[in-house]
Amino acid sequence: MKPMFSPAEIRKDFPIFSKVMRGGNRLVYLDSGATSQKPFQVLDAERNFYEQNNAAVHRGAHLLAEEASIAYEGAREVLANFLNAELDEVIFTKSATESINAIAYSFGNSAPGSRFALKPGDRIVVSELEHHANLIPWQQLAKRTGAELVWFSIDDQGRLDQSNLGELINASTKIVAITHQSNVLGTIIPLGDIVSKAHSVGAVVVLDACQSAPHFAIDVKSLDVDFLAFSGHKALGPTGIGILWGRSEYLNEMEPFLTGGSMIESVTMTEAKWAPSPKRFEAGVPNMAQAVGFAAAINYLNNLGMDNVEKHEKDLTAYALEKFRGLDKVKLIGPKDTVDRGSVISFTIDGIHPHDVGQVLDQYGVAVRTGHHCAWPLMRKLGLVGTMRASFYIYNDEADVDVLIESIAQAQKYFKV
Ligand SMILES: Cc1ncc(COP(=O)(O)O)c(C=O)c1O
């Protein structure tokens, strides 16, 4: 029988939770939306790779090169299973940012007439909820090609307004690039209508899964999107490793983003022929130990069960939302219930700047994110300079929420608002 989901037990696997914070407080880490903490299992996997198997993968005939390649390709298999994807569709990048740029550059480098090439009059669709990582690459691609950038708006709950979907995604649309879950408001975007409309006009859908893949089960086949990106470091894994998933029929026709060693089938002094995916998109010696650490992180999540992770976060978010409702002069920004909503809570306090609140919370060991969260257009739309953002993960529990709520009261007392 599986043990009950216990954040207290889970925390024992994370060395950082034994750190004593300012004022002798324990760490209340509510910033997993920015980056998650790492369990021993991940740290050990990376260390073990360097101690036992370190060599450049896919090169050399010696034992270490063979073991390193097995470990690296084994990591790919773990990630492919996690996403219900095919092995050759999973590409290791350095981050989600790099993954999204890889798609945008590839499209931008496509020869005129190719199905990926954009021209004036073509359309790229995004949303007002995007993190800069899923906005600026498309802005740049639009500028380079003359394509038009248009976007979905949000309603006053911070949910995507899909009422004009038919106008936004039209026959000129080539790319729909959308976040799965907002890193600021927690909004989860129902994708069904967007994906079917995009496909009906021949557009590809790029999904930014940075805030979803670490928190609930993702199945690329049932989502039916065409590309997906997320980062290892938000899913218990190391920094410096991310995933680009794409349909192999597309990947094997696309131009590579980076060129160099390991991504070729043949080379002469003047020409090179690209290897098939995933090698085509993994030029140079990759981040091998990080890939192995990432797989250990995914195994850790699989052991917990992604459905249990999702349920735990939903319950905790419901508890936190209820507590926030009882606070005076504190405004919740974003969906007020747990329907289509993840475990990210943005809020403002009347009369106190978010950075000042962040500093007071820090005195109680509470780590939250403050500012614009790399989503300036969204902040402008909301008429805010920034928010405080508490984001929960597997190691948080109701006691953490209670400390957050008490420290907000302390901040209000300190600033006399
Ligand atoms: C929704 C979303 N997309 C993209 C990113 C970029 O991720 P990374 O910085 O790991 O590339 C983030 C990071 O906060 C994010 O929250």
Side-chain angles (χ1 to χ4, degrees), residues 29-30 38 53 65 148 168 182 199 202 227 264 277 308 317 348 354:
Y29 189 74
L30 303 178
K38 325 292 173 202
N53 316 121
E148 168 195 33
L168 279 177
S182 161
H199 287 167
F227 298 94
I264 38 77
S277 172
N308 296 329
T317 304
T348 57

Side-chain angles (χ1 to χ4, degrees), residues 57 90 95 118 190 250 288 344 373:
V57 295
V90 174
S95 62
L118 282 95
Y250 291 147
M288 307 166 296
V344 170
H373 315 295

Side-chain angles (χ1 to χ4, degrees), residues 33 95-97 131 133 179 183 208 210-211 231 233-234:
S95 62
T97 300
H131 184 283
T179 189
N183 65 309
D208 175 354
C210 271
Q211 300 289 341
S231 289
H233 71 94
K234 293 182 200 284

Side-chain angles (χ1 to χ4, degrees), residues 2-77:
K2 276 205 160 176
M4 274 196 18
F5 197 99
S6 162
E9 284 303 310
I10 288 170
R11 279 199 294 273
K12 290 182 190 160
D13 287 333
F14 290 73
I16 207 154
F17 287 111
S18 43
K19 186 176 165 83
V20 179
M21 304 302 286
R22 286 204 176 88
N25 289 298
R26 73 177 177 93
L27 170 61
V28 178
Y29 189 74
L30 303 178
D31 200 14
S32 297
T35 197
S36 68
Q37 297 301 344
K38 325 292 173 202
F40 281 117
Q41 289 83 342
V42 169
L43 306 175
D44 290 349
E46 267 202 271
R47 186 177 186 87
N48 184 62
F49 178 86
Y50 284 125
E51 286 182 353
Q52 297 295 327
N53 316 121
N54 186 48
V57 295
H58 306 141
R59 296 161 170 86
H62 54 81
L63 176 69
L64 293 184
E66 186 185 320
E67 287 178 356
S69 302
I70 290 171
Y72 182 70
E73 292 306 324
R76 195 189 310 280
E77 204 172 328

Side-chain angles (χ1 to χ4, degrees), residues 32-35 94-100 129-134 179-184 208-212 229-234 239-242 369 373-374 389:
S32 297
T35 197
K94 102 174 156 50
S95 62
T97 300
E98 186 178 279
S99 303
I100 296 167
L129 287 171
E130 302 311 318
H131 184 283
H132 296 163
N134 197 37
T179 189
H180 202 181
Q181 178 182 311
S182 161
N183 65 309
V184 181
D208 175 354
C210 271
Q211 300 289 341
S212 57
F230 77 107
S231 289
H233 71 94
K234 293 182 200 284
T239 50
I241 192 81
R369 174 93 184 259
H373 315 295
C374 295
R389 181 189 73 181

Side-chain angles (χ1 to χ4, degrees), residues 99-128:
S99 303
I100 296 167
N101 274 279
I103 309 168
Y105 272 93
S106 178
F107 277 52
N109 288 340
S110 296
S114 128
R115 65 161 129 176
F116 305 113
L118 282 95
K119 54 183 187 323
D122 286 343
R123 189 174 255 210
I124 304 171
V125 181
V126 294
S127 85
E128 282 178 339

